Amino acid sequence: MRSHSLRRNQFMLRFVITSFCVCSSALATQITVKTDRDTVPMGKSVFVDVTVTDDAGQPLPGARVLSYVNEKRWGAHEVTNSKGQIRLTLPLPNPGVARIQVQATPPPGNTSWIWTDTPADNQTVFLKKIFTLDAAPRAANLRAAVDDSCTVTLNGHKFEEFSGWSQEHLFSGIEQWLKAGENTVEVEARNSTGPAGFVAELTLETGTGKRVIASDRTWEARTAPNSAPAPAHFVAKLDEANTWSSAMGHWPGLMMGAQLFAGRARPDHGDFSNVASVEVTRRSITVKEDPEHLVGIQWEPWFTPLNAYWQTAQAVPVVGYYNSYDFDVMRQHALWLMDAGVNFNFVDWSNHIWGAKHWNERGPGANEIIHATTLALEAYAAMRDEGLPVPKFVIMPGLSNGPACTMEALNEELDWIYQNYLRNPRFNGLWVMYEGKPLVVPLDCGSVAIKPETPPVDASKFTVRWMGTQLQISKMQEKGYWSWMDGSLEPVTTFYKGKAEVVTPTPSYFAGEGWIYPSARGRRGGTTFIESYKTVLKNRPKFVLLHQWNEYAGQPEGQGYGPKHDIYVDSYSVELSDDLEPVSLTAGGYRGDKGGWGYYYYNLMGALIHLSQQDPIVDTILAVNPPHRNQEVTGERLTVEWSAIGKAPAGYTVTLDGKTVASQIQTTSYDLDLSNVAKGAHEVNVTAEGATTHLP
């Protein structure tokens, strides 16, 4: 909740020099939940403390936890820690009683997708595992999946070739080819294009119980039959977010992708906790709306079956994976955005009619995005009827960002928007009006609109601005173009009639070469966002277009753009991504990040918006980087850097584990000596002296 008390502006970080993990394979038998409060205002969060124990009453680490609110999935999927515990953060958008219950399933083991360390197109790899048995097993089966195809040989017996990763392939009765002593599994796997991986479990019933030989880093990998072996390259855990898991078939113990989604009904069977009830109360919300200074945020309605579906998401939203048709998700997003001070959603329709001559040539994927937007308008209209100051809407159609559509197709699309949305009385008052007409900003990265041979856009019903990107390179702001994102710490401001019209601050960015090239700049603990936002205070534009709320979609590993397949755009990892929606601190993402940024960037966004509305500015916001949260630090020195915005501090103080190591620092960095610091967890604080904040 927002605090109205004054406090010194300080930033605390915790870093770990060493760490360890405890694992277990027992079955869950008892799950308990406890909330930190009995009443919460709508849209705010409760903490839910979950404890999972095994059949012996011992803590069960690694158990997978799903939460349900009023018998529907809600919240990020999580995993218990070494004490068998996890704290869930559940925002509750709907007034009334929220009945919270948790389901837990046993740890899945260490089965992993493996390959070589350099996947390539048209590639064949050779994987091998040697293991020893005390006696021949009573029964055995092999379960495997592959992207794209493979053959498996067990002690010289070759199974039939199979392909595909969305459904596992099961070979039963194979105990006849196993023996006491040394046994060998060999795999010849092939990949045509894109992601590559192989996953398998060889399950053995022996006289002493069950044993599983699973694909993991202990397997050997070769790029040719007689080349030198190397440890297999770990691609992803079987049950973690990755290219394959969200759509796999019924692999035993695998938490299926469909189970993870918000809104899914609670199953009738499974291990469930007690029910904890919380009363969610209505509240009023006030959003400052200065017609000369409006804040918008880029918002994606594309989480639908034919568009983006979380396969490469770098983090897990606090509300859980969702589809863009879910009204509870829309409502929670709207409540968050109102609390942060956002005035409008900037809706991305950009890449939906590539190469089309007419609007009616759009495909089913585009229709899903349109349907999701229509549902969002309905949800916001219903909240408006409750008296809530919901964000308005601006739509970004697409002219060019790949194969350009025709101007005729775009004009037909604009007419469709006008006839179906603007003339619909249900959506009255939900549009940003600019120069007397609703605003639209078509994406035109190819600058097609200003070419002499291009017919004019029909601006009779709309105020039209064109959207580009990377203006620090293209200089298209000189032609009046706005920017989706600039690859610069000082984003480009577009001026109109001598006044600043728009600027696009961002928590991170890439330039023309994508996320993993040196021209990109990651989140850096919020310092990138603060430095980017300074342009807002400098130029005071009419529109601030925040980049961005919810993208979560990038290219799979080995499938980037460019000749080397290494140009990754949209999102990449927790650090190299630009989403602002609250995400889980502990749930894992596609590239192995063990948790995301929590509410940090959402809170920072709200603080920056409120700071820019102060006159005079009295508050200070401070962010520090490095270290990252729970970063493992090596070496004898660590350079700590920070950024501040707002009222200038008198200086800075750095403490380590509560002891001052430097004070009255006038720069924005400090070289921290770790030569006498013991291994383990430590805490760094940077305090902005003489500064205060009312901001969350």
Side-chain angles (χ1 to χ4, degrees):
M1 297 179 66
R2 185 176 177 184
S3 171
H4 294 277
S5 61
L6 282 169
R7 58 186 182 274
R8 286 195 310 166
N9 196 325
Q10 75 175 15
F11 189 101
M12 182 180 71
L13 285 164
R14 185 171 182 265
F15 64 91
V16 179
I17 293 179
T18 61
S19 61
F20 65 92
C21 175
V22 178
C23 299
S24 171
S25 59
L27 297 176
T29 58
Q30 184 173 1
I31 310 143
T32 60
V33 299
K34 182 179 180 181
T35 61
D36 70 325
R37 65 193 72 185
D38 298 324
T39 304
V40 66
M42 65 181 186
K44 300 297 184 179
S45 296
V46 295
F47 289 137
V48 182
D49 290 314
V50 181
T51 301
V52 184
T53 57
D54 64 20
D55 51 4
Q58 296 300 309
L60 183 60
R64 295 158 297 171
V65 172
L66 298 180
S67 51
Y68 295 83
V69 176
N70 294 337
E71 293 75 52
K72 293 195 302 183
R73 270 285 294 123
W74 186 254
H77 49 278
E78 300 284 0
V79 176
T80 55
N81 62 19
S82 61
K83 298 180 180 179
Q85 299 173 341
I86 187 68
R87 167 167 277 193
L88 309 179
T89 303
L90 295 183
L92 299 174
N94 297 306
V97 176
R99 299 179 302 277
I100 300 170
Q101 195 172 24
V102 164
Q103 178 186 17
T105 59
N110 294 317
T111 305
S112 304
W113 288 88
I114 58 175
W115 201 254
T116 67
D117 58 355
T118 54
D121 293 348
N122 300 313
Q123 183 182 44
T124 299
V125 301
F126 301 86
L127 306 168
K128 184 177 181 179
K129 174 68 175 179
I130 300 173
F131 59 97
T132 301
L133 297 176
D134 293 333
R138 298 173 179 174
N141 66 68
L142 174 69
R143 192 179 306 272
V146 64
D147 189 352
D148 291 322
S149 64
C150 73
T151 54
V152 177
T153 301
L154 176 60
N155 288 339
H157 177 81
K158 181 178 289 188
F159 301 112
E160 63 185 53
E161 181 177 357
F162 61 91
S163 62
W165 49 267
S166 60
Q167 186 67 42
E168 74 277 8
H169 304 271
L170 179 64
F171 299 93
S172 301
I174 64 172
E175 61 275 4
Q176 58 185 305
W177 293 295
L178 290 162
K179 61 185 179 180
E182 188 175 274
N183 295 263
T184 304
V185 178
E186 296 175 282
V187 179
E188 182 177 334
R190 293 164 288 279
N191 177 52
S192 56
T193 60
F198 171 81
V199 64
E201 288 179 348
L202 176 61
T203 303
L204 313 171
E205 296 291 343
T206 70
T208 57
K210 185 174 75 171
R211 180 181 175 187
V212 177
I213 309 296
S215 53
D216 58 21
R217 292 181 178 91
T218 65
W219 288 48
E220 294 178 357
R222 292 176 171 86
T223 55
N226 298 317
S227 62
H233 177 67
F234 168 80
V235 179
K237 290 289 291 295
L238 175 63
D239 67 318
E240 290 180 344
N242 58 63
T243 305
W244 307 283
S245 64
S246 62
M248 283 192 73
H250 299 286
W251 192 291
L254 177 63
M255 186 178 290
M256 302 308 300
Q259 293 178 268
L260 307 182
F261 278 73
R264 183 176 175 86
R266 201 207 78 168
D268 295 331
H269 305 287
D271 291 328
F272 291 94
S273 71
N274 57 299
V275 176
S277 295
V278 175
E279 180 70 24
V280 183
T281 60
R282 292 189 180 274
R283 64 185 173 101
S284 60
I285 300 175
T286 301
V287 179
K288 183 175 181 179
E289 184 167 338
D290 176 358
E292 296 305 313
H293 298 94
L294 298 177
V295 178
I297 192 163
Q298 297 164 7
W299 178 82
E300 308 292 352
W302 59 11
F303 298 99
T304 66
L306 297 178
N307 292 291
Y309 228 52
W310 304 99
Q311 295 96 326
T312 58
Q314 78 279 15
V316 181
V318 165
V319 300
Y321 288 164
Y322 53 81
N323 69 63
S324 292
Y325 304 154
D326 192 302
F327 280 94
D328 289 344
V329 173
M330 297 176 200
R331 182 179 179 88
Q332 183 59 52
H333 283 180
L335 291 167
W336 272 330
L337 294 175
M338 284 185 279
D339 283 338
V342 172
N343 303 118
F344 65 92
N345 287 348
F346 191 81
V347 185
D348 181 3
W349 282 18
S350 58
N351 296 336
H352 58 313
I353 53 171
W354 279 357
K357 295 181 179 180
H358 296 283
W359 170 236
N360 62 12
E361 295 174 12
R362 64 187 182 275
N367 286 332
E368 288 184 349
I369 292 172
I370 294 166
H371 181 56
T373 304
T374 305
L375 292 176
L377 286 165
E378 293 282 2
Y380 279 54
M383 297 179 73
R384 175 204 59 199
D385 294 347
E386 297 176 35
L388 295 170
V390 293
K392 294 180 171 61
F393 283 71
V394 174
I395 293 178
M396 182 176 71
L399 178 61
S400 70
N401 188 35
C405 70
T406 64
M407 185 62 77
E408 184 176 6
L410 177 60
N411 284 333
E412 291 168 353
E413 178 179 10
L414 294 179
D415 183 66
W416 187 97
I417 293 171
Y418 179 79
Q419 299 296 337
N420 289 273
Y421 288 166
L422 274 299
R423 295 188 65 185
N424 188 336
R426 179 63 175 153
F427 304 147
N428 285 348
L430 292 182
W431 307 101
V432 172
M433 305 300 290
Y434 186 33
E435 296 186 327
K437 292 183 286 188
L439 175 66
V440 295
V441 188
L443 184 67
D444 184 26
C445 293
S447 306
V448 173
I450 61 172
K451 293 180 179 179
E453 65 273 18
T454 303
V457 67
D458 181 0
S460 61
K461 302 179 183 71
F462 296 93
T463 295
V464 178
R465 293 292 184 269
W466 298 106
M467 177 65 75
T469 191
Q470 303 290 336
L471 299 188
Q472 83 283 354
I473 298 172
S474 71
K475 309 299 182 185
M476 288 304 294
Q477 75 276 10
E478 297 171 4
K479 303 294 184 180
Y481 277 61
W482 294 16
S483 181
W484 179 255
M485 181 189 71
D486 291 328
S488 170
L489 197 57
E490 184 175 348
V492 176
T493 301
T494 298
F495 287 80
Y496 177 66
K497 294 183 178 179
K499 295 183 178 180
E501 186 173 49
V502 66
V503 68
T504 305
T506 179
S508 56
Y509 60 80
F510 60 84
E513 298 170 313
W515 280 116
I516 63 173
Y517 279 79
S519 55
R521 182 182 172 100
R523 295 174 181 269
R524 300 194 185 187
T527 59
T528 300
F529 202 7
I530 283 178
E531 293 298 320
S532 178
Y533 214 86
K534 288 179 179 179
T535 305
V536 175
L537 301 187
K538 175 183 176 182
N539 292 328
R540 299 286 183 176
K542 180 177 180 66
F543 297 104
V544 174
L545 187 58
L546 295 166
H547 178 89
Q548 66 183 335
W549 181 250
N550 60 334
E551 192 159 40
Y552 301 114
Q555 295 70 51
E557 195 64 33
Q559 205 171 352
Y561 298 115
K564 298 181 180 179
H565 302 294
D566 64 347
I567 298 177
Y568 297 96
V569 297
D570 301 320
S571 65
Y572 184 77
S573 63
V574 166
E575 176 66 13
L576 299 175
S577 60
D578 40 37
D579 297 326
L580 295 166
E581 180 183 0
V583 300
S584 169
L585 285 166
T586 48
Y590 168 58
R591 285 190 167 84
D593 288 308
K594 301 301 182 183
W597 52 87
Y599 278 75
Y600 178 69
Y601 285 94
Y602 167 76
N603 288 333
L604 182 55
M605 174 185 78
L608 289 167
I609 291 171
H610 290 296
L611 181 78
S612 66
Q613 294 169 343
Q614 293 180 350
D615 187 17
I617 292 176
V618 297
D619 288 318
T620 306
I621 303 171
L622 176 69
V624 179
N625 176 75
H628 306 305
R629 179 177 59 91
N630 291 330
Q631 177 181 342
E632 187 172 301
V633 175
T634 59
E636 294 189 349
R637 309 197 75 81
L638 173 69
T639 300
V640 181
E641 301 175 328
W642 55 87
S643 291
I645 189 172
K647 186 177 179 181
Y652 300 94
T653 296
V654 177
T655 65
L656 177 63
D657 296 333
K659 296 181 180 179
T660 299
V661 294
S663 60
Q664 294 301 311
I665 303 171
Q666 298 301 308
T667 61
T668 55
S669 66
Y670 180 75
D671 195 23
L672 185 63
D673 184 2
L674 300 177
S675 58
N676 294 316
V677 177
K679 291 182 178 181
H682 298 275
E683 194 170 276
V684 174
N685 281 270
V686 178
T687 302
E689 300 295 353
T692 57
T693 185
H694 296 81
L695 302 170

